[in-house]
Amino acid sequence: ISPWLAVYYAVFAAANLGAVVYCARRKRWAWMFVWLIAAIGFGLLAIMSAAGRPWELTAEAKHGIDAILSPASVMVGFLAFLVIVYLGRAFFVRPAAAWTGLNAAGLLLGASLADRHFAGVVGQADNVPILAMVFLLGFFTWLGMAQAVENDRRLARGLPPREAEFADKVFVWPNVVYLELIGLLIATAVLVVWSLALRAPLEGPANPALTPNPSKAPWYFVGLQELLVYFDPWFSGVTLPALIVLGLLAIPYIDVNPEGNGYYTIRRRRFAWLVYHFGFLQLWILLILIGTFFRGPSWGFFGLYEPRDPETLVALHNVKLSTWFWADVLGRDLPRAASDAGSLGRLVAIGLREIAGLVAMALYFVGLPIVLARTVLRTFYRRMGPSRYTIMVLLLLMMVLIPIKMLLHWSFHLSYLVSIPEFCLNI
């Protein structure tokens, strides 16, 4: 890994030298000095890596990070990070703040790559593009947020959004076609160099007698595979994807807000911005990262620097809400229908057995929308009307149910809120 780390640090050193030149031209001497120190530091790390002695985190630091990381802490910590970025967006969109964060992330990643267990997971041929996409996704998310903050400032001063000033128009031929051709050539060159530098050979034919451990789906489906830990297969593999597609199709018919169309903004589309970033980053991208970098043999959760031992036992302590309610709280056996009971008797027994989960789901999907319509979301209810509001809030509650169910599973080993295997209904 040392030669690759030398190239990695050299890229960061060159990038910081570019930042030095940028700040010098604009006479920002303090920041020029800061980025010069960063360039020298990355250059020294590149020399150390080329000499075969890359900088690595201490064993205590790695053990501390692995001890802190758990499924619940990763989920809650990332949510807290999104909240902090949203509240402090005026600070984080500054180029200096973003560049500082990029340097810090690059430094931590380089120190982590010196660990053989971390490098063994992240350096896999299938995982390298995912790591690169994390940086690209972070950049474009920051860019969109920066443009939205700038437009919000302009609108607060009574100015039109910046997109309204884009009056220059060019012909598709030859201007746009030439740019697309140049982009195609650059992308082809990058892929050729990448394919020569990083070997990713095809594996052998599938053998039903030799199943890989773990068996992971392609990266774009590994998030759904992660959901299988917490939900029934029909729910995580069929219902949730269908609701995502239908929800996206329903957005133009649900959203009646005339503001914020055609330009970046947060202040005028606060609710939509928050819901989108929570759903996309928290409930999709984060699940992909968890399934890719944290899940190991037997789909166990492993720390970033923890060895992926196939012999590691994964504790399975799952309990249904009905079992917890009747056995642990009431100290009674689960209600069961008599052997000679008819269909109605069996239905009544199932209803009694799952009474706790059914009441919880009724309060969540029926009572909570009514409460929200009269409190937090009363403006949406008046503006959207009963039908649009109902569709919107049900989709929203279904989305929020995912992290709630995950936290219940991690904290209390709760498997299903409602479990009716007689009708293949498990929630």
Side-chain angles (χ1 to χ4, degrees), residues 387-406:
S387 58
R388 285 191 177 95
Y389 169 80
T390 301
I391 297 175
M392 183 273 294
V393 76
L394 289 179
L395 290 174
L396 178 64
L397 291 177
M398 187 70 70
M399 181 175 66
V400 176
L401 181 64
I402 296 176
I404 291 177
K405 181 68 183 305
M406 291 179 173

Side-chain angles (χ1 to χ4, degrees), residues 23 83 138 156 203 211 313:
C23 293
V83 173
E203 297 182 1
T211 303
L313 296 178

Side-chain angles (χ1 to χ4, degrees), residues 326-350:
W326 287 100
D328 297 340
V329 177
L330 301 182
R332 300 177 56 182
D333 294 333
L334 272 66
R336 291 182 174 84
S339 57
D340 57 347
S343 300
L344 182 59
R346 288 193 291 269
L347 289 176
V348 171
I350 293 174

